[in-house]
Amino acid sequence: MQLVIVESPAKAKTIEKYLGKDYKVLASYGHVRDLPPKDGSVRPDEEFAMDWELYGDKARQVKAITDLAKQADRLILATDPDREGEAISWHVRELLAKKKALPKEVERVTFNAITKDVILAAMKAPRELDQDLIDAYLARRALDYLFGFTLSPVLWRKLPGAKSAGRVQSVALRLIVEREREIEAFRPQEYWSVLARLEHLGTEFPARLVKFEGAKLDKLSLGEEGAAARAKAAVEGGAFRVAEVETKPTRRNPWSPFTTSTLQMEAARKLGFAAAHTMRVAQNLYEAGAITYMRTDGVQMDSSAISAARVAISNRYNNGHYLPEKPRIYESKAKNAQEAHEAIRPTDFGQDHYGSGDEARLYELIWKRAIASQMASAQIERTTVTLRDGTGQHELRANGQVVKFPGFLAVYDETLDSKPGEDEDDSAMLPVLAAGDTPAKKGVESSQHFTQPPPRFSEATLVKRLEELGIGRPSTYAATIQVIKDRNYVRTEKNRFFAEESGRLLTAFLERFFPRYVGYDFTAGMEDELDDVSGGRENWKVLLGKFWKDFKPKSDEVMERKPSEVTEALDEFLSDYLFPPKEDGEDPRKCPLCDTEGRAGGRLALRGGRFGAFVACANYPECKFTRKFAQPGGAAAGEEGEIGKHPETGEPITRKVGRFGPYIEMGSGKEAARSSIPKDIPELDLDWAVKLLSLPRTIGAHPETGENITASIGRYGPYLAHNGKYAKLKSTAEVFETGMNSAVDKLAEAAAGGGRGARTAAEPLNTFGPHPESGGEMKLMAGRYGPYVTDGTTNATLPRDKKPEDLTAEEAVVLITEKAAKGPAKKGGRKAAPKKKAAVKKAPAKKAK
């Protein structure tokens, strides 16, 4: 019997069907073991010795593999054809050797597609495990471990609210934060454009003013309305004739088939998929045998695939012009040839549709891109028409293009992100014009514009930028992006990344104290060195030694600093952001509260607290003024002040900033109405303020119980309430928009979702990062008997005198550690009985006797 090991059960089932009775195929379900998430799993002082621990949920599967391996004559490791696949095979081999269950013959096979021909061919060409790829995996895993487990304790002690840092994730976060800074620093510039609407031979077309008073116009030349008005008058009063007609034929060549990164980009643009979702769907398609392997830097297809694509093109288009004379050859940009596989393509070009839902949509995208890559170029004719008035001082220009032959565009056109400020239409249809023609003037308009800041990153543009900088590898981008989302360092709105307060502060901390390790050149250079390891050009332990030699002393040095020293350094580093210059020249650090109350020396500075960083006055505790870290500039940024008066009561509604963030208030003392300001309100105005203060909103009586259904915003977000039952709402807007039918449905769905269990399992009240011993993510949860903190293994109830919002990461560590030391709680009815027996009921009886 021959035992074959792959990653997934779907893959195992397909392959076993192709191989026959002599083979048994089992799935490892991905990695079977990893470094234990605790200190000491990688030991630099022992030549980077590494401890490995079996995943708890893999014990049963590993036992099944071990039992069959003892009976097998041959072990075939057939995991994915990349570094991670090589690592999984290595782990399986090491585990079986440790259990003395390793067959005499151990071989490695790889295949780029799960089809019968490919698999049978691979079985005839086995090889040994690639030690260079394994070393590269070990180096990368150790690097990430040492970076995270050395830096995270520094963050917990020196930066309140920080959860973790990662070698690649911190650099990706820095990109998002830097873009946020660029947007904030951007100052829009006014400019105007003048456009004439012309008509010739019954066809209207636009022509833009490009020369005025003898001077060529660039984008910002007409910088104010007066200049635009003069230019418009000149166009209205001028008689324009066609001076030049330039027709230029051009060719557009097709794009190469998808790589991992280009697939993620296009799926985000065209289908709206997150990178992680794209990879999950692609994995399903691969395991079903529909596409080739989806983690690749390669852009070239196999020669047999190219031939199949050309046949499909010939069958699809009778016109031979769609098929180029020679196959197209694309050059791979992959830095490491060992990891550059075939591009992502369908396994059968004759099948233009596969599956349903998201699988069908992604497959169609892959099929179109791959088949278009072997089609003829598109032939496009670009036309530029220049019109000049009688004085020769003013010129108009009209641009247009005509697709003479679509070529590959008949199948596929890549979606490109538009650049801000691009408003010229180069694809307008132009009539046939010749020199001397005088098109009729239908109208002239001048338009005001403002320059736009650089756009925030989408998943597609972030992946593109990471790839351009050489940071990480395409196969890791989805996981990297997911981590910074899960840590709440960023949020997404309309598919764009916004840096959160915690992400911004973490980036500032790393830039100030660990600038080298969040540097783009350093991180990209590390990827090149890892490629050298996988190519056999560098020793992995030497690479780790160079990294650790500088990184460990730097982290120790920062750990020795007092928290106040760290805060002072960050105050100086972030001075321009937190205290930007004021237009009136006033000191931006002057405390507004001390100023109004006549106290001297009230200056603002960054402070650290249990809930994160904030800005406070030096006169504390006399002065209680505070401002959130994420709101630079104080009142100038719209922090505090009167919003308006309530339309019914006439009472003023004021925006304020408290310990837990911005809120609105109407009235004073105990009778005051207050409401926090949700983050998803685009811009707080009087209308929104009145709505928030009116909560809870009564939707109406439930049709079954007659009890009212209400909508409101609670500590954990917007929700519906009815008769002691609750249902979450997705946004603040839903609180005011949800009607009776929708409310009844949502409440029913919430009830069907598991009642109490569904609520407690929903989301943590707070997270504190990994536990220093167990490594599990520490979370504060709302339990049936009160709040508790857990690391996934041990649950520790909060003391009665401890408010959940006051719990710190250090306290969470102590609670979990102390609870774990006491051992597991007793469970089961039989163990509960002795407690009743020992209830000391007999003692009084003895006294009575």
Side-chain angles (χ1 to χ4, degrees):
M1 186 263 290
Q2 301 184 61
L3 177 61
V4 181
I5 303 298
V6 295
E7 290 95 338
S8 76
K11 190 174 172 182
K13 186 177 180 181
T14 304
I15 292 174
E16 191 169 73
K17 178 177 66 177
Y18 295 147
L19 291 180
K21 296 180 180 179
D22 189 40
Y23 292 85
K24 182 63 180 177
V25 185
L26 287 183
S28 68
Y29 290 85
H31 276 284
V32 293
R33 61 180 189 172
D34 195 8
L35 295 170
K38 62 182 181 182
D39 289 337
S41 295
V42 178
R43 299 186 294 283
D45 295 339
E46 299 176 28
E47 293 188 343
F48 299 98
M50 302 164 78
D51 293 331
W52 301 98
E53 180 180 77
L54 188 69
Y55 284 119
D57 60 346
K58 298 294 177 68
R60 185 175 180 182
Q61 194 62 19
V62 168
K63 184 179 185 305
I65 292 172
T66 304
D67 291 344
L68 276 179
K70 290 178 180 177
Q71 306 170 31
D73 303 315
R74 180 187 178 208
L75 175 66
I76 302 168
L77 301 166
T79 49
D80 289 341
D82 58 7
R83 182 165 47 206
E84 288 301 308
E86 208 74 18
I88 292 171
S89 288
W90 175 77
H91 278 300
V92 171
R93 186 188 70 178
E94 294 297 297
L95 263 178
L96 292 177
K98 189 176 180 180
K99 293 176 179 292
K100 298 181 180 180
L102 200 64
K104 291 182 180 179
E105 284 187 65
V106 180
E107 293 176 329
R108 173 85 165 108
V109 300
T110 58
F111 33 79
N112 195 43
I114 304 178
T115 62
K116 186 174 183 179
D117 292 342
V118 171
I119 289 168
L120 293 179
M123 290 296 173
K124 295 177 182 177
R127 62 169 173 81
E128 294 183 355
L129 282 171
D130 189 323
Q131 191 59 47
D132 291 336
L133 284 183
I134 295 167
D135 288 348
Y137 159 78
L138 294 173
R140 184 180 292 273
R141 189 67 195 89
L143 269 175
D144 292 340
Y145 172 90
L146 291 172
F147 191 98
F149 271 81
T150 305
L151 198 52
S152 292
V154 178
L155 295 176
W156 301 338
R157 289 166 176 78
K158 310 300 178 185
L159 194 68
K163 297 172 183 175
S164 68
R167 186 177 60 87
V168 177
Q169 80 187 48
S170 297
V171 181
L173 175 61
R174 182 188 171 190
L175 282 171
I176 295 170
V177 170
E178 284 193 340
R179 179 58 55 88
E180 202 75 32
R181 293 173 186 161
E182 290 175 30
I183 293 170
E184 290 168 353
F186 181 82
R187 297 293 177 265
Q189 286 183 269
E190 179 185 10
Y191 69 97
W192 291 72
S193 62
V194 176
L195 195 73
R197 300 289 174 186
L198 307 178
E199 182 183 19
H200 187 67
L201 301 178
T203 301
E204 285 193 21
F205 62 98
R208 191 174 301 275
L209 182 66
V210 295
K211 187 176 181 181
F212 176 54
E213 296 178 344
K216 288 185 177 180
L217 299 180
D218 59 27
K219 183 176 182 177
L220 302 177
S221 294
L222 300 178
E224 45 87 24
E225 188 175 7
R230 293 200 324 272
K232 179 183 177 184
V235 175
E236 289 175 332
F240 287 84
R241 291 179 178 274
V242 175
E244 299 170 12
V245 178
E246 182 184 3
T247 301
K248 185 178 180 181
T250 60
R251 294 165 65 89
R252 277 181 63 185
N253 295 322
W255 292 272
S256 63
F258 281 129
T259 61
T260 302
S261 59
T262 55
L263 177 64
Q264 291 175 2
M265 291 179 213
E266 273 294 85
R269 293 176 183 135
K270 278 191 162 70
L271 308 178
F273 288 0
H277 184 63
T278 298
M279 297 310 292
R280 280 194 297 269
V281 176
Q283 180 83 36
N284 293 341
L285 291 172
Y286 166 67
E287 291 179 356
I291 64 170
T292 55
Y293 191 54
M294 67 286 165
R295 291 186 178 89
T296 174
D297 294 323
V299 295
Q300 181 60 16
M301 294 195 299
D302 181 78
S303 58
S304 61
I306 293 175
S307 299
R310 288 174 64 84
V311 169
I313 295 166
S314 297
N315 293 338
R316 191 179 184 89
Y317 299 99
N318 293 327
N319 184 343
H321 297 302
Y322 283 90
L323 187 67
E325 291 184 9
K326 295 181 180 179
R328 293 187 179 275
I329 305 298
Y330 295 93
E331 210 172 295
S332 175
K333 295 180 182 179
K335 295 181 180 180
N336 191 323
Q338 282 186 296
E339 293 187 32
H341 307 298
E342 190 181 358
I344 304 170
R345 63 167 177 84
T347 54
D348 181 2
F349 279 97
Q351 189 172 16
D352 57 2
H353 290 86
Y354 180 88
S356 60
D358 287 351
E359 289 184 10
R361 296 169 69 199
L362 189 65
Y363 178 84
E364 183 181 17
L365 193 66
I366 293 169
W367 184 90
K368 285 182 174 180
R369 175 89 168 214
I371 203 163
S373 72
Q374 289 300 319
M375 292 178 68
S377 302
Q379 296 176 16
I380 299 170
E381 187 176 83
R382 299 186 187 277
T383 302
T384 303
V385 179
T386 302
L387 301 99
R388 194 172 295 130
D389 74 337
T391 67
Q393 294 292 297
H394 314 305
E395 284 184 6
L396 299 172
R397 181 171 297 155
N399 296 305
Q401 69 176 30
V402 177
V403 177
K404 292 292 187 180
F405 173 66
F408 75 94
L409 292 176
V411 173
Y412 180 84
D413 190 9
E414 185 179 68
T415 305
L416 298 176
D417 288 343
S418 59
K419 296 178 181 178
E422 281 188 353
D423 50 9
E424 186 170 351
D425 187 2
D426 288 335
S427 60
M429 293 296 295
L430 297 178
V432 177
L433 290 162
D437 286 343
T438 56
K441 203 181 300 173
K442 306 296 289 184
V444 181
E445 58 192 47
S446 60
S447 303
Q448 183 186 36
H449 310 276
F450 291 92
T451 54
Q452 298 296 311
R456 288 183 171 86
F457 284 108
S458 63
E459 286 214 5
T461 54
L462 181 60
V463 166
K464 183 178 182 182
R465 187 63 181 141
L466 288 168
E467 188 175 40
E468 288 172 350
L469 293 171
I471 293 169
R473 282 294 173 259
S475 59
T476 66
Y477 291 155
T480 297
I481 291 171
Q482 194 60 46
V483 167
I484 59 176
K485 284 182 180 178
D486 292 344
R487 295 282 186 267
N488 294 320
Y489 291 148
V490 299
R491 71 180 189 277
T492 54
E493 293 179 13
K494 296 181 180 178
N495 295 322
R496 296 285 172 175
F497 287 110
F498 289 73
E500 292 283 24
E501 173 186 341
S502 56
R504 187 154 196 161
L505 187 61
L506 172 61
T507 298
F509 176 84
L510 294 175
E511 287 178 318
R512 172 60 181 81
F513 295 103
F514 295 90
R516 181 186 181 198
Y517 301 101
V518 289
Y520 303 136
D521 291 342
F522 172 82
T523 311
M526 187 65 71
E527 292 297 338
D528 290 340
E529 290 193 73
L530 288 167
D531 284 343
D532 286 340
V533 172
S534 61
R537 297 179 293 275
E538 184 170 357
N539 182 280
W540 70 283
K541 291 185 179 180
V542 172
L543 168 63
L544 291 175
K546 290 188 294 184
F547 167 79
W548 190 245
K549 181 182 178 182
D550 294 326
F551 183 69
K552 184 63 167 68
K554 182 63 179 175
S555 61
D556 289 344
E557 182 245 317
V558 177
M559 182 67 91
E560 290 171 4
R561 287 177 177 253
K562 295 178 180 178
S564 58
E565 293 176 352
V566 172
T567 305
E568 287 174 11
L570 288 176
D571 177 89
E572 180 182 354
F573 185 80
L574 292 165
S575 178
D576 292 341
Y577 167 66
L578 294 174
F579 310 105
K582 293 188 175 182
E583 293 181 2
D584 58 5
E586 190 179 31
D587 182 2
R589 286 183 180 264
K590 184 162 67 172
C591 174
L593 190 58
C594 286
D595 192 38
T596 57
E597 296 181 358
R599 274 189 299 270
R603 284 179 59 76
L604 303 178
L606 186 68
R607 295 285 183 267
R610 70 183 83 181
F611 303 109
F614 62 97
V615 173
C617 179
N619 283 335
Y620 179 85
E622 288 81 11
C623 179
K624 297 291 197 298
F625 177 85
T626 59
R627 189 176 81 218
K628 284 190 73 178
F629 166 82
Q631 299 291 342
E639 265 301 296
E640 298 193 355
E642 186 175 314
I643 299 171
K645 290 182 170 55
H646 196 285
E648 295 178 6
T649 67
E651 288 186 273
I653 300 174
T654 308
R655 175 178 178 139
K656 295 188 175 183
V657 179
R659 192 176 184 183
F660 304 107
Y663 66 96
I664 53 175
E665 180 181 83
M666 183 174 69
S668 59
K670 294 182 179 180
E671 303 300 321
R674 298 181 182 89
S675 173
S676 61
I677 302 173
K679 289 184 178 181
D680 61 347
I681 292 181
E683 185 174 347
L684 183 73
D685 55 17
L686 182 60
D687 184 43
W688 266 114
V690 171
K691 283 183 176 181
L692 291 172
L693 291 172
S694 70
L695 295 175
R697 167 185 168 239
T698 300
I699 297 173
H702 194 288
E704 294 179 4
T705 67
E707 298 285 338
N708 278 336
I709 301 174
T710 59
S712 192
I713 301 171
R715 187 173 174 186
Y716 309 120
Y719 68 93
L720 294 170
H722 164 255
N723 204 18
K725 305 294 183 182
Y726 301 90
K728 276 191 172 184
L729 294 175
K730 293 181 180 178
S731 67
T732 302
E734 284 193 1
V735 173
F736 303 98
E737 296 170 358
T738 301
M740 178 59 70
N741 291 338
S742 177
V744 170
D745 288 344
K746 289 179 186 294
L747 286 163
E749 287 173 7
R756 174 185 60 82
R759 291 198 299 276
T760 56
E763 289 184 5
L765 310 184
N766 200 357
T767 55
F768 303 102
H771 190 281
E773 293 181 11
S774 71
E777 182 79 0
M778 296 187 293
K779 299 177 183 178
L780 178 64
M781 308 296 291
R784 183 178 183 183
Y785 304 108
Y788 66 97
V789 65
T790 179
D791 63 348
T793 303
T794 303
N795 297 344
T797 304
L798 266 63
R800 289 186 178 182
D801 60 346
K802 190 69 181 177
K803 294 181 179 179
E805 60 268 24
D806 293 342
L807 187 71
T808 65
E810 290 78 11
E811 292 170 334
V813 171
V814 172
L815 286 171
I816 292 171
T817 304
E818 289 179 351
K819 183 63 184 292
K822 293 178 182 178
K826 295 181 179 181
K827 298 179 181 179
R830 292 183 179 178
K831 292 185 180 181
K835 285 190 176 181
K836 290 184 179 180
K837 200 172 183 180
V840 197
K841 293 259 183 176
K842 292 183 179 179
K846 286 183 179 180
K847 286 183 180 180
K849 186 176 179 181

